[in-house]
Amino acid sequence: MNHPKNYSRRAFLGTASCAAVASTTFFSTLFNLQGMNAKSLTNDEGEDYRALVCIMLGGGNDSFNMVIPSDRQHYAEYKRTRSNLALPSTGLHKIHPFTYKEQELGFHPDTPELQELFDAEKLALICNIGTLVEPMTKSQYEKGGKIPFGLFSHADQAKQWLTSIPQTNASTGWGGRLADLVQSANSNPNISMNISLSGKNVFQLGNESAEYSILPTGNGSIGIEGYGGNSTFDKVRTQAVRSLLEKQYQDIFKQSYADVVMASQNTHELFSSVVSDSQISTEFSPSGLSQRLKMVARTMKIRKELGARRQTFFVSFDGWDHHDNLLPNHNGMIAIVSKAMKEFQTAIEELGIEDQVTTFTVSDFARTLTSNGNGTDHAWGGNVMVMGGKVKGKEVYGKYPSLALNSDLMLKGGVLIPQISTDEYFAELALWYGAKPGDLEDLFPNINRFYDPKSTQAPMGFMEMG
């Protein structure tokens, strides 16, 4: 599909908002009709498949109640600071990392599956990480050092975790920019390598890439309602729609719209036909997160039929903004995450691709360590998890910070300054995925402030790169 040079993609999208198909399917097909000027990562020696699965805990996970100090001294600091939000030490699932010995830690009492994954060397923790424009100390913060745009704002911080460009309101996500680099590894350009179970998202939006949005139910894909149906009405509607789409229009807007809608429908028919036979034996819980991850596993099973050697998946689990009733709400939600992650890891092991899939968590920010009465407010640095067969698991990366009041990293209100940047975290994932060191500055504009891309060492060391 050719457009005049002065024809804006943004302008065209603005005219197409009333599409009769799912907008995410429409947008992903539009982007995939663009030129494919990307680097190839294909390997003729067997299957070369890698996938990144991003789990977004939307709203701000209280990750210092997800991972808690368990030795007497540090637990006492935790209890004093957290006051009525402290969990009892007796129920913690204690972990024993290979090398991290600075303090003893344990997972939340309702997350036995996370402990199991950690002990099996399939899960690692990254502590006190957050959005950073540059390395930051308490003194630098108080003197007006460069801080992320819209710090403590849900919308801004959630977006910055997904773009890894915290100094501005970026328009592309690092997953989308990564897809721009490697999308020619996939042999079918009509289905995006970026698949979302949570609709449109900035993480998977690049200059030439966008998400293909699917549902966790049925055959996943969304097409034109009733198109191709067997009822008399559906047959009439199908013929009417087909005649409209196959018509040649003089108006470029009409012709472009018809081309994209037809391509979207064709993509839907391809995806739904191959995923219909894709079943997983692993039992998944009925939670929304588990069911979304089940569909991710089903989609991975048909990766060859889709011509996919590189994929990203985006799954959002929202509702973590616990300003009130934190303990019962957080307890229930973190238990869902624990079960879902264990189920998903079991499923990819069933598929035999555990070394080719890496799952990682992100969130807007952590929560304040101090209580606002019955909940917590927006904070900054927190803890995340990364899981997979190539993860150097049973280890803690970074340093779990002191939770004592007025520590060297604590700001007013119990906010911790992160000591690891999202750039370091995501750069390691990107390198494992297939990006080259020379690509990192394009993917993460601030990376040189935290890591030298020319280094022979990995940014953090939690992934096996081979």
Side-chain angles (χ1 to χ4, degrees):
M1 180 167 59
N2 298 316
H3 303 310
K5 290 183 178 180
N6 64 351
Y7 182 64
S8 162
R9 177 192 296 159
R10 184 181 300 275
F12 175 69
L13 292 179
T15 68
S17 60
C18 59
V21 294
S23 62
T24 46
T25 300
F26 177 92
F27 289 141
S28 62
T29 304
L30 173 64
F31 278 88
N32 278 296
L33 290 173
Q34 309 304 311
M36 299 289 180
N37 297 317
K39 302 175 183 178
S40 176
L41 290 170
T42 56
N43 185 339
D44 292 331
E45 299 177 6
E47 184 188 15
D48 176 27
Y49 175 73
R50 294 194 181 187
L52 289 171
V53 182
C54 176
I55 299 178
M56 175 68 179
L57 305 180
N61 175 31
D62 194 317
S63 56
F64 290 102
N65 263 15
M66 179 179 78
V67 184
I68 300 158
S70 59
D71 61 90
R72 181 176 299 179
Q73 173 191 344
H74 293 101
Y75 178 80
E77 290 178 348
Y78 160 84
K79 188 173 183 179
R80 281 195 297 271
T81 298
R82 304 238 67 184
S83 61
N84 64 319
L85 302 179
L87 295 167
S89 61
T90 53
L92 300 180
H93 296 287
K94 296 184 179 181
I95 57 175
H96 305 283
F98 283 127
T99 64
Y100 187 84
K101 306 298 180 186
E102 296 196 32
Q103 57 185 295
E104 296 175 9
L105 299 170
F107 280 111
H108 187 288
D110 294 336
T111 61
E113 298 87 357
L114 294 182
Q115 181 196 42
E116 182 182 347
L117 288 164
F118 189 91
D119 288 346
E121 303 177 34
K122 300 172 183 176
L123 185 97
L125 288 170
I126 300 175
C127 293
N128 200 19
I129 181 173
T131 56
L132 286 168
V133 178
E134 60 187 10
M136 180 67 62
T137 65
K138 189 173 182 176
S139 174
Q140 288 169 334
Y141 178 88
E142 291 170 343
K143 292 177 180 178
K146 293 181 181 178
I147 62 173
F149 173 79
L151 186 60
F152 311 127
S153 156
H154 278 300
D156 293 312
Q157 289 304 290
K159 187 173 185 179
Q160 288 167 31
W161 267 89
L162 301 178
T163 66
S164 209
I165 304 179
Q167 66 268 37
T168 187
N169 188 18
S171 60
T172 61
W174 72 267
R177 297 192 296 272
L178 183 60
D180 288 344
L181 287 173
V182 305
Q183 61 183 320
S184 66
N186 293 357
S187 60
N188 184 352
N190 294 320
I191 294 183
S192 176
M193 65 186 297
N194 299 329
I195 296 180
S196 173
L197 274 294
S198 298
K200 290 194 65 62
N201 65 88
V202 71
F203 167 64
Q204 295 177 314
L205 181 60
N207 291 313
E208 300 294 340
S209 307
E211 82 288 333
Y212 180 70
S213 187
I214 62 175
L215 300 174
T217 56
N219 293 333
S221 186
I222 311 165
I224 301 172
E225 184 178 356
Y227 190 91
N230 294 322
S231 72
T232 301
F233 180 75
D234 284 343
K235 290 178 180 178
V236 172
R237 175 163 46 186
T238 299
Q239 183 58 43
V241 171
R242 182 179 293 125
S243 65
L244 288 172
L245 297 180
E246 292 176 350
K247 181 179 177 180
Q248 296 300 305
Y249 296 92
Q250 294 294 322
D251 188 303
I252 188 173
F253 286 93
K254 293 180 180 179
Q255 187 61 54
S256 297
Y257 182 83
D259 289 344
V260 170
V261 172
M262 178 59 83
S264 297
Q265 180 63 22
N266 292 340
T267 299
H268 156 70
E269 292 173 4
L270 168 63
F271 184 91
S272 59
S273 66
V274 293
V275 83
S276 62
D277 296 326
S278 173
Q279 298 301 323
I280 301 292
S281 299
T282 301
E283 292 291 329
F284 279 82
S285 305
S287 74
L289 178 60
S290 285
Q291 292 302 304
R292 287 181 173 88
L293 289 175
K294 181 179 180 179
M295 182 57 79
V296 170
R298 289 180 62 193
T299 304
M300 289 178 174
K301 188 175 181 179
I302 58 168
R303 61 195 181 279
K304 293 180 181 178
E305 290 85 343
L306 297 177
R309 290 189 171 187
R310 291 293 182 274
Q311 290 182 302
T312 71
F313 294 86
F314 180 76
V315 179
S316 183
F317 180 26
D318 298 329
W320 298 85
D321 193 21
H322 298 142
H323 291 278
D324 194 21
N325 293 318
L326 179 136
L327 288 180
N329 290 327
H330 189 265
N331 293 354
M333 294 180 71
I334 202 66
I336 289 172
V337 171
S338 181
K339 288 184 176 66
M341 290 185 70
K342 177 62 166 60
E343 292 161 354
F344 181 64
Q345 185 64 24
T346 301
I348 63 171
E349 289 171 6
E350 175 191 332
L351 297 176
I353 54 173
E354 60 269 26
D355 288 349
Q356 297 159 288
V357 178
T358 301
T359 305
F360 62 101
T361 68
V362 301
S363 191
D364 313 22
F365 34 57
R367 314 292 298 186
T368 53
L369 294 173
T370 52
S371 172
N372 65 14
N374 196 29
T376 52
D377 298 320
H378 304 174
W380 196 356
N383 310 309
V384 298
M385 301 177 288
V386 59
M387 176 180 75
K390 286 297 184 178
V391 172
K392 297 178 183 178
K394 199 176 181 180
E395 192 57 276
V396 173
Y397 296 88
K399 181 179 179 181
Y400 192 96
S402 168
L403 303 188
L405 288 169
N406 301 315
S407 73
D408 290 342
L409 294 176
M410 189 177 294
L411 305 176
K412 287 195 303 182
V415 174
L416 285 173
I417 301 173
Q419 294 300 285
I420 295 176
S421 71
T422 59
D423 284 348
E424 296 165 271
Y425 181 28
F426 300 148
E428 181 124 352
L429 292 172
L431 289 171
W432 172 82
Y433 192 70
K436 305 301 182 186
D439 297 326
L440 293 183
E441 292 181 63
D442 292 328
L443 292 170
F444 310 105
N446 298 322
I447 190 64
N448 284 312
R449 297 172 182 173
F450 306 100
Y451 168 73
D452 181 1
K454 298 178 182 178
S455 172
T456 58
Q457 302 296 316
M460 295 186 63
F462 62 81
M463 295 297 302
E464 295 179 18
M465 293 297 176

